[in-house]
Amino acid sequence: MLSVKPIMGWNSWNTFAAQINEKLIMEMADAIVEKGYLDAGYEYIIIDDCWARKRRVNGKLDPNPEKFPHGMKYLADYVHSKGLKFGIYSCAGSITCAGYPGSYGYEYDDAKMFASWGVDYLKYDFCNFSEGGDKRNAYLTMAMALRNCGRDIVFAACNWGVGEPAEWMRSHGAHTYRSTGDIRDSLKSFTDIFRSQYTNIEGNAPGCYNDLDMLIVGMRNKGHVGAGGCTDEEYLMHFAMWAFLGSPLIIGADIRKIDSECAKILLNKTLIALNQDDECRPAFPLRCTEKYYTMAKILDKGKIAMAIFNINEDNDWVQNISVVFNDLGVPSNKGLKLRLTDAVTGEDIGIYEDGIWVKVPPTHFKIYVAEIITEDTNQESENQ
Ligand code: GLA
């Protein structure tokens, strides 16, 4: 099965848009390995829109020879030689969002071509799709074409949430599906996506995940989707949200230039572990208001994670926010206690009963991984 866990990788769009070429993609493949991102799980190097020749040649899709002089097989071979996987982009309409040829009517031809190049992932966009056309069938057709092209290719649908994809993309063969418009490099953009999707992830499970769009961590307002940039705390919260909600984690920044603070965020082992947990369960909401959101997520080995996101921007609004353990299926009248670990620092913060009340300033969050203390372990810690 493909996409057993949320896909991790890098995509060219957020930073480079049309400014892509062979050398850049190779440098990104080098950097993702050398800087430890592959070891952390980021495996896919994905070329977004603007790689193709403006017109099809002999009915075939062709890379722009000025940008990709040795062709796509050469580049895919290079990416594979680094232990990485190779992704590319097309569109369900006849023309892509940036004006390059799309796959409408050519789904089976293009899928075969992608397979012959060694493509492992296809992002499939939705621009210029004929009004009144059957969008579900368009995605199904490419899903079937990919399944019959002779190679395992992840099908990353991207229709920006048109027609409630959470209700049909999994059954129509997508391995990931974008559910919102494009992210921008700002607090407002990623919190808007969070608000619109935190209740829309129940279908996340091996084989298909809701894709909240590429990460903006590390962009620092440079590149195509710059919109003011974010503070370190905001980037950390954005990454924690995407990890907690089980979104694919696709870096959008220039990997060669990500600063150390943002590299620390993207390489945070405990947050990545939440995203890649073996149970592959979606998170669910506990208590949510317009200002803050508390959520939980069952983890492997009987653990459960709880998250408190304060996305209110009013600086005076530092709140004591609680998570009641009864809401996690851990009733205190049974004498059950939880040992909590901070999911950002990995620090053991101790044993709690009934619930936890924490001060969370605006645009900050807390995530704890909780483990039930059995009588034996309880005894042990009391004796210490
Ligand atoms: C759409 C998608 C983006 C990107 C561009 C490329 O806007 O949502 O992620 O792929 O097209 O043109």
Side-chain angles (χ1 to χ4, degrees):
M1 184 196 277
L2 293 173
S3 189
V4 173
K5 301 207 175 158
I7 298 281
M8 295 174 67
W10 173 85
N11 175 300
S12 58
W13 183 257
N14 275 7
T15 298
F16 298 102
Q19 310 307 313
I20 48 172
N21 58 56
E22 179 181 285
K23 182 167 170 285
L24 176 89
I25 303 301
M26 285 174 153
E27 286 181 12
M28 223 51 74
D30 295 345
I32 210 168
V33 177
E34 281 159 19
K35 293 180 184 281
Y37 292 92
L38 173 61
D39 285 345
Y42 298 94
E43 196 184 4
Y44 287 78
I45 291 283
I46 302 155
I47 305 180
D48 207 280
D49 203 352
C50 310
W51 59 267
R53 229 194 257 266
K54 280 264 174 174
R55 286 185 180 281
R56 284 179 180 270
V57 179
N58 305 326
K60 288 184 176 171
L61 260 188
D62 230 14
N64 176 335
E66 277 163 29
K67 291 179 176 173
F68 299 97
H70 297 93
M72 284 303 177
K73 167 112 180 44
Y74 174 85
L75 191 50
D77 286 350
Y78 184 81
V79 168
H80 290 147
S81 77
K82 297 261 153 186
L84 296 161
K85 296 203 160 125
F86 183 64
I88 209 163
Y89 164 103
S90 189
C91 183
S94 47
I95 298 181
T96 71
C97 299
Y100 296 77
S103 290
Y104 182 74
Y106 292 95
E107 293 86 352
Y108 280 78
D109 312 83
D110 291 355
K112 275 238 145 55
M113 179 78 84
F114 297 146
S116 75
W117 292 343
V119 167
D120 305 297
Y121 173 111
L122 175 70
K123 174 170 171 179
Y124 206 50
D125 219 334
F126 193 53
C127 279
N128 303 303
F129 188 75
S130 74
E131 231 173 272
D134 185 343
K135 58 182 172 304
R136 293 191 185 195
N137 185 262
Y139 280 90
L140 178 62
T141 304
M142 186 50 101
M144 288 304 291
L146 291 175
R147 280 165 174 75
N148 289 281
C149 72
R151 190 175 170 86
D152 282 344
I153 299 184
V154 170
F155 185 34
C158 172
N159 86 335
W160 330 302
V162 176
E164 304 301 338
E167 290 172 7
W168 56 273
M169 276 295 193
R170 169 181 280 275
S171 62
H172 284 56
H175 295 109
T176 76
Y177 60 89
R178 273 272 302 281
S179 42
T180 66
D182 293 6
I183 196 165
R184 314 222 41 218
D185 188 5
S186 73
L187 172 71
K188 177 169 182 341
S189 176
F190 80 76
T191 51
D192 281 353
I193 293 178
F194 174 84
R195 274 197 201 89
S196 76
Q197 295 306 310
Y198 77 99
T199 53
N200 210 14
I201 54 173
E202 183 62 21
N204 280 357
C208 186
Y209 293 88
N210 182 341
D211 174 2
L212 306 183
D213 205 356
M214 295 159 286
L215 296 161
I216 50 168
V217 181
M219 292 195 64
R220 300 281 188 212
N221 201 28
K222 295 205 183 74
H224 186 68
V225 302
C230 296
T231 64
D232 291 349
E233 288 74 24
E234 290 164 2
Y235 280 140
L236 178 61
M237 183 161 79
H238 158 51
F239 187 71
M241 285 173 163
W242 266 227
F244 199 79
L245 295 194
S247 174
L249 299 176
I250 311 285
I251 299 171
D254 181 343
I255 305 234
R256 298 165 306 178
K257 299 184 180 157
I258 294 174
D259 59 49
S260 59
E261 197 49 45
C262 286
K264 235 168 67 194
I265 295 172
L266 291 165
L267 296 171
N268 185 300
K269 281 206 168 72
T270 31
L271 289 176
I272 292 175
L274 283 178
N275 182 261
Q276 300 283 308
D277 183 76
D278 282 343
E279 278 249 4
C280 305
R281 301 260 161 215
F284 60 94
L286 298 172
R287 295 169 192 220
C288 300
T289 71
E290 267 176 26
K291 293 185 167 180
Y292 73 84
Y293 297 73
T294 61
M295 299 185 73
K297 177 178 161 86
I298 292 182
L299 302 175
D300 192 32
K301 302 202 171 73
K303 296 184 182 176
I304 189 161
M306 63 197 90
I308 303 169
F309 296 110
N310 179 354
I311 62 179
N312 168 60
E313 286 177 59
D314 175 357
N315 273 325
D316 296 333
W317 204 80
V318 178
Q319 273 290 333
N320 255 325
I321 303 175
S322 63
V323 175
V324 178
F325 294 166
N326 194 44
D327 291 350
L328 305 175
V330 185
S332 49
N333 64 4
K334 295 284 168 197
L336 295 167
K337 298 176 186 172
L338 292 178
R339 182 191 296 282
L340 303 189
T341 306
D342 185 306
V344 174
T345 61
E347 186 194 352
D348 179 345
I349 65 151
I351 296 172
Y352 289 76
E353 249 181 290
D354 298 338
I356 183 164
W357 284 257
V358 251
K359 269 204 165 30
V360 187
T363 69
H364 283 64
F365 71 97
K366 281 285 174 196
I367 301 180
Y368 301 112
V369 174
E371 191 178 353
I372 296 183
I373 300 293
T374 61
E375 285 202 345
D376 292 353
T377 46
N378 199 8
Q379 196 74 40
E380 256 170 49
S381 54
E382 276 168 12
N383 290 343
Q384 272 168 10

